[in-house]
Amino acid sequence: MRVPLPLVLVFALAGCSADYSLGGDDGPYDQSDTADNGASEDPDDGAPPEQENAFLAMRPAQTDVFVFVANPSRNTVTRVNVNTLEVRTTEVGLDPHGIVTTPDNTTCVVFNRGDDSVSIIDADTLEQRVVPVRDDFNKLVMSPNGRWVALFHDVAAERPDDPPPSGVQSYNEVSFVDLVTGEHFGMAVDYQPREIQFTPNGLLAAVVTKTSLGIVDLNARPLLPHLVPLTDVLVDPPSAEEVVVVPDGSYAFVRQFGAQDIVVVDLATEVTTHVPVGENPTDIDLTPDNTHAVVVSRGSHELHLFDVAAPFDPPQILGLPPDVSLGSVLIDPTGRQAIVYTTASLTDRYATWDLTTDAITLRQLVKPIREISITPDGNSLLVFHTKSDAESADPASPFHNSWAMTLISLDDQRQNPLRLPAEPIGFANSADGAYGYFIMAGVHQLTRLDYLTLLPEEFPVKSDPVYVGVLPDLDLTDGDQPKAWVSQEHPLGRMSFYDADDNSLETITGFELNSAIEE
Amino acid sequence: MKTPFLSLLPLLTLAACGWDLPNSGNAYLHLPLWDARGIQATVDGLYVPMPHNGGITLLAPGEDARRVDIGEGRVVNITVPPASSAATVAAVIERYRCEVDDKKEARKVDRLADCADEDLKVDVEIDLIAGGVVTSSVPLDTPFRSMVWNAAGTHAIAWTDAATAAGIDGVVNLTSVTVIDTIAGTATAVPVGFSATDVLFDDAGARAIVLSQSAVAVIDLATSPPARDVTFALTLDPDQVVTPVGVQLTPDGDYALISVQGSSDLYVLDLVNNSVNIVTLDLAPSAMHVDPSDDLTVLVSATTAAVDIMDHRFFDVTRVQLDEAMDAIIDGDGFDLLYGRNHRDVYRLDPLTGDIVEFRLQNPLLSLHLAPTEEFAIAFTAQGAVDGRPGMEILDLRDTRGHSYPYLLEGVGIDAKFTVDDAGLLHALILQSDVTYLYALDLYGGTAREIELDEPPIGIGARAEGGFYVTHDDPLGLVSLVDPTTDAIETIAGFGTLGIFDPIDFVVQPGQEETP
């Protein structure tokens, strides 16, 4: 009998606003977290894995006042003050290719891909420190408390324009950088790290590799990982597909490709235990109060609810509608209800799950689901649809073979399906849940969604939009809406800022020229 | 018996000494004697460029025409500094030396044309002239083709661009402009970028905005010596050439608006924070004007039938549709006149409200002239298809209904000047091509009279002391001074012959030492 090695990782969702680039099928930005497409590994329902969002390296970063844009060809970062439109540009290392900001809005961190370094920049003064890291990384992750960044090479995130490696290259290395002290800690973990997660308090990090978790005590010196194997299969071991860590650092729930159970890892004792969860588990999430882990078993049409304080107690099992494939769960931030859906097949239905009553209700959509998002206040649901239609779709439908999205009120389930002229490529929601914004490929407009009326409003921009975001709202009670921004294609940089308070749209263009100003 | 040799001796001697015959009153005119279009009207009188002798002639009221003693050399450029300057004109002068090592060869060099190119040395200076006398001079490194003064007349910036550098001997620096400080008497080269094309001073005269190929430089004139403060690049791609063609400053001086050739991009340079923003217009501007009172910029384009009005806070653009594309703007007090050459529409635009009054001309427009009271504008139009005669239309700008009053002219309208008589009546003086009179029109009453001229005119200008001067196409020089209050005309003729036999010469004759 295998000695269980409970090992718990804390899963923390970083970021102050829900800004996403759309991934999934039917789109060019297929940025799935999954390193492998497990379709061939799943013996039960034959459907591919569920598609989730992934970090996109070139996305601008934001604080409450500034938007930071990396300019890889100029080796600079441009900071735009959203209120005054003042533009300042500062030089960083070679080929800046990842940029994030700390939750306290004081620091911007840039990963310089070309010279393997990290620039730690004061958001106000633009003074910076440069910290060399290990070579050939392509992913940057920040801890939720903004104290650490971690970098690694993710094979799944490799791009054609990645600089060619020089000299010895390792696929087992990660770097941790203390943003306060500027110290760098490099280390070797297991083969091909694919994800790094932090506890909310920043004390612990977990490096997820194919077959192990590398637990890093960030207070310990020397800073080294402790590897916890996730399987005792030595030949062709199953890969970890998803890891959810409990915030108190007690347990981690690991879902492996093609496995029919989940692995519960006790972080303290490092004991791993396989827990059955029905057939073909495809998603794990924590409830917002972090008391339960929810596993969606697509094959057996079940939800398994685990008490994270007692993960080995029998879970509560809720049945899902048996005649529809549902493999993903998204719980609203208030914990009131959840959406159970699938992105792995062309299914034009979803279920709402009332967490209070455990009532599960199947509902109809106009088209299958590509991506969904619940507003921070939990009142509204935004559904982006696939262009392809469900098998049973009516060819005469105005949404047939078309891009579409649906706004849904989660209070009364009102829907407003919208036919779109092009593929949506990004969206963002305001922190108070009042508005959402999205952009479409090749369409020169920013669309604002009013979640109260479920009505869209379009604002023209000058060129193809690339990314969209909403500044964090530091005071949800002041009645002011933070600005939304949309970056656009332009050889010299273009960004527009929308203020919902006065319905104004301002645009700055050519800010990359600031890097060539000679004083 | 005399030998034939002795008879031939004088002839042989003459042959040995060369054909150095005394001047018999002939002069070869490779250049005009005077430049009718280069006249500068000042408080001293009219300064007339004399291309043949390379000098300047002053036509002062009540005096005989006289040459300004600039020494040996050639005037290449005359500008009039602002009225606040102590000088009335500034002349850029080339002075020539022929540096031939061999003294025997040097004696053979008598004229400029005799000096080999490699021996010809050119020194350049700018002479400040007042009262017909050179008061000071500032040496320059190279000749220049363009010069602009600041409002105070304390500084001028001179430059040569690539297009006008032809004809300048020697190495020409096309990446610098020369800042001339007339107070300190210095000339400082300031690097600005390749091939400067235009310069704009701010209202205080403390900064100069210099347009160059793919760059805009700001020169700080308050420092000593003047120095480049900042350079803005207009592109980051070395393969792309961005040619700035227009520059305006916002009323607060915080922003420079730069239009570029063939592009709808308007570069907004923040001169306070040193940053760049590009406002993408929906038209490629042919002309723009900053309205200081309304703090707006008006832009028109020869290819778009619209006028864009841009604010200076967010640089938002409001568009007003027109029936025809306009390519020029004349600014009035609280309004702008928009017009396009060879078009038939003229618009009076209120930039604050966007309201327009459309004037429809009978024939295509040639030129437009705004009266100083801004109540009327005069449009010269091309020959009509029906009547075959050129025309003139008086646009009543007081009228919101777009009324204009057409006239047939005897000759194509050249220019119009305006005068207000003692009774406060506004008159226009109309100059027509090949017509030997000035047409004086009372714009309020509509009555007119003809002021006879001796010869057909070339141009008309305002005199500093009042009245006007009219130039005529007479190779020996002919200018008419017109008093519109009395219709009296004083004619000055023949001044072109001054210095006709005094060619441009060396500062020092070759082989001789220069007198300090």
Side-chain angles (χ1 to χ4, degrees):
Chain A
M1 185 175 73
R2 182 175 57 243
V3 175
L5 295 172
L7 183 68
V8 180
L9 291 170
V10 179
F11 173 61
L13 185 64
C16 302
S17 63
D19 301 340
Y20 299 101
S21 292
L22 289 165
D25 59 357
D26 279 344
Y29 295 96
D30 191 356
Q31 299 284 339
S32 169
D33 260 343
T34 58
D36 304 308
N37 185 327
S40 60
E41 301 175 65
D42 189 319
D44 289 341
D45 61 11
E50 300 287 319
Q51 306 278 0
E52 294 186 5
N53 264 326
F55 172 80
L56 288 177
M58 292 304 298
R59 181 182 178 77
Q62 62 187 25
T63 68
D64 56 329
V65 175
F66 302 115
V67 174
F68 290 87
V69 181
N71 310 309
S73 58
R74 326 284 180 211
N75 302 326
T76 59
V77 163
T78 295
R79 184 195 74 182
V80 182
N81 185 314
V82 176
N83 296 324
T84 65
L85 300 187
E86 178 201 14
V87 176
R88 293 272 305 274
T89 299
T90 185
E91 289 189 3
V92 291
L94 294 179
D95 193 15
H97 233 76
I99 187 166
V100 292
T101 50
T102 55
D104 64 0
N105 300 317
T106 61
T107 306
C108 171
V109 181
V110 181
F111 168 45
N112 303 305
R113 188 175 67 164
D115 61 15
D116 302 308
S117 68
V118 162
S119 297
I120 305 171
I121 305 172
D122 185 297
D124 277 334
T125 65
L126 295 182
E127 292 177 3
Q128 62 177 280
R129 294 173 290 173
V130 180
V131 179
V133 296
R134 301 293 297 173
D135 294 348
D136 305 321
F137 290 150
N138 62 1
K139 248 189 171 175
L140 170 77
V141 183
M142 178 176 280
S143 62
N145 65 352
R147 175 69 187 258
W148 295 87
V149 290
L151 300 98
F152 60 101
H153 184 94
D154 183 358
V155 174
E158 288 178 347
R159 295 156 50 123
D161 63 344
D162 284 341
S166 58
V168 175
Q169 183 176 12
S170 167
Y171 293 91
N172 283 42
E173 295 181 7
V174 297
S175 280
F176 284 86
V177 177
D178 186 328
L179 299 180
V180 174
T181 65
E183 292 176 275
H184 165 252
F185 304 92
M187 63 190 67
V189 294
D190 209 346
Y191 183 59
Q192 286 191 357
R194 37 198 314 274
E195 187 180 355
I196 297 178
Q197 299 185 19
F198 293 86
T199 58
N201 56 16
L203 296 179
L204 211 62
V207 182
V208 181
T209 66
K210 293 185 79 167
T211 57
S212 70
L213 293 177
I215 306 302
V216 182
D217 181 348
L218 296 171
N219 276 338
R221 297 293 183 271
L223 199 66
L224 291 172
H226 181 79
L227 297 186
V228 178
L230 298 177
T231 176
D232 51 7
V233 176
L234 299 179
V235 179
D236 286 336
S239 301
E241 185 175 2
E242 183 178 9
V243 175
V244 170
V245 179
V246 179
D248 65 4
S250 53
Y251 295 98
F253 293 79
V254 182
R255 182 170 62 83
Q256 295 171 312
F257 282 103
Q260 299 305 308
D261 52 25
I262 59 170
V263 178
V264 179
V265 185
D266 187 322
L267 273 179
T269 64
E270 302 180 4
V271 172
T272 59
T273 306
H274 289 252
V275 177
V277 289
E279 296 175 12
N280 190 24
T282 50
D283 195 12
I284 306 179
D285 267 330
L286 285 179
T287 56
D289 59 6
N290 298 314
T291 60
H292 289 81
V294 179
V295 178
V296 183
S297 299
R298 188 171 66 193
S300 55
H301 307 283
E302 294 169 336
L303 294 175
H304 291 244
L305 280 70
F306 292 87
D307 184 343
V308 298
F312 306 110
D313 287 353
Q316 178 185 2
I317 300 177
L318 301 176
L320 296 172
D323 55 348
V324 63
S325 177
L326 300 171
S328 293
V329 64
L330 180 64
I331 307 171
D332 94 49
T334 66
R336 200 161 36 106
Q337 60 182 308
I339 307 298
V340 189
Y341 63 103
T342 184
T343 60
S345 61
L346 296 175
T347 301
D348 57 2
R349 284 169 286 175
Y350 69 104
T352 55
W353 168 30
D354 186 322
L355 271 67
T356 306
T357 65
D358 284 336
I360 294 176
T361 308
L362 191 66
R363 303 183 187 273
Q364 184 71 45
L365 292 169
V366 295
K367 290 175 74 75
I369 298 172
R370 177 182 169 196
E371 184 89 40
I372 72 170
S373 171
I374 298 179
T375 56
D377 63 354
N379 290 336
S380 308
L381 174 67
L382 183 60
V383 180
F384 289 99
H385 300 288
T386 60
K387 189 176 182 185
S388 303
D389 297 283
E391 201 172 318
S392 58
D394 179 4
S397 163
F399 301 98
H400 187 75
N401 195 32
S402 177
W403 294 105
M405 63 182 292
T406 301
L407 287 80
I408 302 174
S409 167
L410 291 178
D411 289 334
D412 54 12
Q413 304 302 325
R414 282 178 299 135
Q415 291 190 8
N416 186 12
L418 304 171
R419 184 179 172 198
L420 303 178
E423 177 190 1
I425 56 174
F427 72 95
N429 288 321
S430 63
D432 63 358
Y435 296 110
Y437 303 87
F438 76 96
I439 54 176
M440 292 174 279
V443 177
H444 297 182
Q445 71 186 32
L446 169 70
T447 305
R448 186 194 75 181
L449 305 170
D450 185 323
Y451 285 122
L452 183 63
T453 62
L454 301 185
L455 297 178
E457 187 170 349
E458 298 159 341
F459 299 91
V461 295
K462 290 286 188 180
S463 51
D464 289 355
V466 182
Y467 293 109
V468 63
V470 181
L471 294 190
D473 194 341
L474 299 185
D475 185 355
L476 292 171
T477 62
D478 62 2
D480 288 337
Q481 283 288 332
K483 290 185 180 180
W485 54 266
V486 53
S487 63
Q488 298 144 65
E489 291 281 1
H490 190 280
L492 298 174
R494 171 174 284 152
M495 188 169 289
S496 297
F497 303 90
Y498 170 74
D499 189 343
D501 290 334
D502 60 10
N503 228 21
S504 63
L505 185 76
E506 300 171 45
T507 300
I508 57 170
T509 305
F511 51 78
E512 291 198 19
L513 285 173
N514 292 290
S515 65
I517 292 176
E518 297 177 11
E519 295 178 315
Chain B
M1 182 172 110
K2 289 186 193 168
T3 63
F5 174 76
L6 290 176
S7 301
L8 293 172
L9 182 59
L11 194 62
L12 292 173
T13 305
L14 195 61
C17 296
W19 297 97
D20 193 10
L21 299 172
N23 189 306
S24 60
N26 295 325
Y28 293 95
L29 302 180
H30 300 290
L31 294 172
L33 291 175
W34 68 294
D35 180 4
R37 290 177 172 80
I39 287 181
Q40 302 288 352
T42 72
V43 293
D44 297 339
L46 302 178
Y47 285 94
V48 184
M50 311 288 281
H52 168 70
N53 66 34
I56 307 172
T57 293
L58 175 62
L59 306 179
E63 298 177 16
D64 293 334
R66 61 183 172 89
R67 296 176 64 188
V68 177
D69 183 5
I70 63 164
E72 294 293 349
R74 183 170 67 95
V75 174
V76 296
N77 177 276
I78 298 179
T79 57
V80 178
S84 51
S85 171
T88 46
V89 291
V92 177
I93 299 174
E94 292 182 352
R95 303 204 187 279
Y96 304 101
R97 290 175 288 117
C98 191
E99 294 183 347
V100 184
D101 294 331
D102 188 328
K103 289 194 174 179
K104 186 175 177 183
E105 292 298 316
R107 281 199 295 274
K108 296 180 183 178
V109 177
D110 190 43
R111 299 168 299 176
L112 274 181
D114 298 332
C115 184
D117 288 344
E118 60 268 22
D119 297 328
L120 184 66
K121 308 301 175 190
V122 181
D123 299 317
V124 185
E125 64 186 51
I126 178 169
D127 281 9
L128 302 180
I129 300 170
V133 177
V134 175
T135 58
S136 63
S137 67
V138 178
L140 306 175
D141 288 335
T142 60
F144 294 95
R145 293 290 181 257
S146 305
M147 183 180 295
V148 175
W149 290 85
N150 68 348
T154 58
H155 291 84
I157 290 183
W159 74 93
T160 298
D161 60 49
T164 58
I168 299 179
D169 294 325
V171 176
V172 180
N173 183 353
L174 292 177
T175 62
S176 294
V177 298
T178 296
V179 180
I180 300 161
D181 185 333
T182 59
I183 305 298
T186 58
T188 306
V190 178
V192 294
F194 177 70
S195 188
T197 55
D198 201 0
V199 174
L200 175 71
F201 289 93
D202 67 1
D203 288 346
R207 290 180 304 183
I209 317 297
V210 182
L211 306 186
S212 305
Q213 182 175 294
S214 301
V216 175
V218 179
I219 298 177
D220 185 351
L221 301 175
T223 60
S224 182
R228 182 185 63 87
D229 185 23
V230 60
T231 300
F232 297 90
L234 302 182
T235 179
L236 297 178
D237 182 356
D239 295 328
Q240 180 191 15
V241 174
V242 177
T243 303
V245 294
V247 56
Q248 299 269 327
L249 284 173
T250 55
D252 56 11
D254 289 350
Y255 299 97
L257 310 178
I258 312 290
S259 59
V260 299
Q261 187 176 66
S263 171
S264 59
D265 287 341
L266 184 73
Y267 288 72
V268 179
L269 310 183
D270 185 333
L271 303 179
V272 174
N273 298 308
N274 285 350
S275 66
V276 182
N277 184 25
I278 300 175
V279 176
T280 301
L281 306 169
D282 290 325
L283 50 75
S286 303
M288 67 176 174
H289 166 65
V290 172
D291 189 311
S293 54
D294 296 331
D295 207 7
L296 300 167
T297 295
V298 175
L299 305 109
V300 294
S301 169
T303 56
T304 305
V307 53
D308 282 353
I309 305 168
M310 184 176 70
D311 77 272
H312 296 152
R313 183 167 177 233
F314 299 114
F315 300 98
D316 290 335
V317 175
T318 302
R319 167 157 291 191
V320 179
Q321 293 294 334
L322 306 174
D323 291 336
E324 288 184 340
M326 303 285 102
D327 63 15
I329 301 173
I330 294 178
D331 63 295
D333 185 14
F335 70 94
D336 292 296
L337 284 183
L338 317 176
Y339 64 100
R341 293 172 189 84
N342 298 316
H343 287 266
R344 292 175 59 186
D345 275 355
V346 175
Y347 296 93
R348 183 189 187 284
L349 167 73
D350 182 337
L352 205 56
T353 63
D355 293 337
I356 58 171
V357 176
E358 178 181 358
F359 296 87
R360 184 69 177 173
L361 304 176
Q362 298 297 317
N363 291 306
L365 176 76
L366 295 178
S367 63
L368 188 67
H369 310 267
L370 178 65
T373 63
E374 300 184 347
E375 298 164 296
F376 301 94
I378 293 179
F380 292 129
T381 58
Q383 289 177 324
V386 175
D387 47 65
R389 288 175 61 178
M392 170 181 75
E393 296 196 37
I394 310 301
L395 280 58
D396 188 345
L397 303 179
R398 304 167 299 179
D399 192 334
T400 60
R401 292 166 295 178
H403 280 161
S404 62
Y405 304 94
Y407 291 72
L408 291 177
L409 296 180
E410 196 170 336
V412 176
I414 298 175
D415 203 350
K417 296 296 179 190
F418 300 90
T419 178
V420 179
D421 64 19
D422 292 339
L425 296 178
L426 178 64
H427 296 262
L429 295 180
I430 308 300
L431 205 68
Q432 301 169 71
S433 175
D434 296 323
V435 169
T436 57
Y437 62 85
L438 274 175
Y439 187 74
L441 176 66
D442 173 2
L443 290 173
Y444 294 129
T447 57
R449 66 188 190 281
E450 296 177 0
I451 304 174
E452 292 295 327
L453 301 171
D454 287 346
E455 296 284 342
I458 294 176
I460 184 171
R463 297 170 63 197
E465 61 269 46
F468 301 93
Y469 67 90
V470 177
T471 57
H472 305 272
D473 189 11
D474 186 323
L476 298 183
L478 180 62
V479 170
S480 300
L481 305 180
V482 180
D483 183 350
T485 60
T486 62
D487 291 354
I489 293 186
E490 177 186 349
T491 303
I492 306 175
F495 55 85
T497 60
L498 292 176
I500 188 171
F501 296 116
D502 184 13
I504 302 171
D505 208 346
F506 300 105
V507 173
V508 178
Q509 285 303 310
Q512 295 180 4
E513 293 294 328
E514 182 173 1
T515 304

